[in-house]
Amino acid sequence: MAASFDRPRRRALRWLGGALAAPACLQAAMAAASPVRVGMTAELRMTSSTSDDAVRLGLELAIEDLNAAGGVLGRPLLLEVRDDRSVPSRGVENLRELAALPDLVGVFGSRFSPVLTEMGQVAPALQCPVFSPWAAGNTVLDPTRQPDWSFRVSLNDTWAMETLLDAAAADGCQRVGLMLPNSGWGRSCHKVVEEYTARHRAIRVLPARWYNWGGETSLIDHVLNLRQAGAQALVLVANEPEGVLLMREMLSLPPPSRLPILSHWGIAGGDFPRLVGPALGELDLRVVQTAALQMARTPRGRRLQQRAAERMGVADPQRVPSLVGLGHAYDAMLILHRAVARAGTTRREAVRDALEHLDPVEGVVRRYAPAFTRERHEALHASDVFLARWDAEGRLQRAPRHPT
């Protein structure tokens, strides 16, 4: 497995603004102009997390490219970053602080859906667009809230859970176990499962096993109880701390006692192969991802992935942890930039309106045509979602539709 970068080193990196790459005359003009600000709030002090690094780097590299091309409205873009420690109240506090900055046009969150959900609830009063480049909770967006100030370039729980359950059915599983965190994210996923099983009678999901997020020292009893109840596969909703704990405990079982695992992508919010170790390959584990995982299929995406690997000190570009966050954030920044340009102002109400009326935007993940409408604030589509596996080198690769 390729050597991975360490978090203290990543925290020490200082990425240069792209204005340095602009022609001298443009650089001088932009230097004299006040910046157009973009905010970000994320779990910066969560030691196992890499999703925040990927999101931040995606924004940094997009801003670097946009500034090299002249910024927006003849002004440079500037990223303002705050730490929310994955606590919703801190995310809201950061949003209020960032929204008070002059010429701030939008705020990006990171991985945790409860943070983005609460930010979205106060965004209308602050008249500040909020973007999710990772958080998948169905509560992040609220179509009944008009106008809604929350936008997402990412997965959602409906697409994730339906993909996992479809895969279990395709594998011939008739009884599936379900493990969920006792949180808003877990409840969001559970609601999707209930709706799915009401429509698909051929597959039975056993009563969910709930665990306490951040407070468990063992999870294996849940697996053993589900297996005793007849589960043929495990659908898991977890972030990397609980995911690592469960994988290590699963590896302690004899191979015939291990269940195949179909996981939501929270476990990919950290450098999961490094955290679990080489034995990860002994488990039958698939995890939800989006088309951002395959951005290297285009020259532009390959260049972005290579730049990210260089900035992070990773030898193999496909080993950039939380790679989807990089692509989602990069594209979301392109979309926001296009909206500010269309609005012709940093007035956020005009920017929000422009986000719903954009011409097509060519991103590294996909072409957005359009990114959003008044009724739809999801930039991706269910067809952008699939399952992936970690290979022996710790690289996430799209899994075959039907495992052999």
Side-chain angles (χ1 to χ4, degrees), residues 249-404:
E249 291 188 305
M250 190 82 80
L251 286 165
S252 71
L253 299 176
S257 299
R258 302 170 187 169
L259 288 174
I261 305 162
L262 298 157
S263 180
H264 205 316
W265 74 354
I267 64 171
D271 191 351
F272 205 63
R274 179 181 64 82
L275 293 169
V276 176
L280 178 63
E282 299 176 19
L283 297 174
D284 182 356
L285 170 65
R286 283 168 283 170
V287 59
V288 167
Q289 293 285 280
T290 72
L293 185 69
Q294 298 180 306
M295 71 176 81
R297 68 189 183 279
T298 67
R300 188 180 178 201
R302 282 195 297 276
R303 288 193 297 271
L304 176 65
Q305 199 166 327
Q306 182 63 49
R307 290 164 66 199
E310 291 170 358
R311 298 293 176 92
M312 287 184 162
V314 179
D316 182 352
Q318 199 60 35
R319 277 288 285 117
V320 171
S322 304
L323 185 59
V324 291
L326 175 81
H328 295 163
Y330 187 91
D331 281 5
M333 187 64 242
L334 298 186
I335 293 167
L336 176 57
H337 171 269
R338 182 71 63 84
V340 176
R342 178 185 174 94
T345 176
T346 58
R347 189 168 58 87
R348 293 196 294 255
E349 187 174 5
V351 172
R352 196 215 74 86
D353 183 67
L355 283 164
E356 296 179 342
H357 299 89
L358 294 180
D359 294 330
V361 175
E362 294 289 347
V364 296
V365 178
R366 63 170 297 164
R367 184 173 189 261
Y368 305 90
F372 308 112
T373 67
R374 183 178 184 276
E375 295 77 22
R376 174 182 55 79
H377 283 197
E378 298 275 16
L380 299 189
H381 186 269
S383 61
D384 295 313
V385 181
F386 51 80
L387 292 180
R389 292 182 186 272
W390 279 283
D391 67 13
E393 301 300 321
R395 300 169 298 197
L396 261 178
Q397 306 282 350
R398 182 167 183 164
R401 184 173 178 84
H402 297 291
T404 56

Side-chain angles (χ1 to χ4, degrees), residues 95-102 104 348:
L95 175 61
R96 294 186 188 278
E97 178 185 332
L98 290 164
L101 296 175
L104 181 122
R348 293 196 294 255

Side-chain angles (χ1 to χ4, degrees), residues 208-291:
R209 302 288 301 191
W210 298 86
Y211 65 87
N212 293 317
W213 179 63
E216 300 284 2
T217 58
S218 176
L219 296 169
I220 196 63
D221 283 348
H222 293 300
V223 176
L224 296 176
N225 287 332
L226 288 168
R227 194 175 188 286
Q228 187 175 22
Q232 298 163 292
L234 173 66
V235 170
L236 174 68
V237 178
N239 289 310
E240 76 280 359
E242 288 76 22
V244 169
L245 173 62
L246 182 62
M247 299 307 140
R248 289 176 176 172
E249 291 188 305
M250 190 82 80
L251 286 165
S252 71
L253 299 176
S257 299
R258 302 170 187 169
L259 288 174
I261 305 162
L262 298 157
S263 180
H264 205 316
W265 74 354
I267 64 171
D271 191 351
F272 205 63
R274 179 181 64 82
L275 293 169
V276 176
L280 178 63
E282 299 176 19
L283 297 174
D284 182 356
L285 170 65
R286 283 168 283 170
V287 59
V288 167
Q289 293 285 280
T290 72

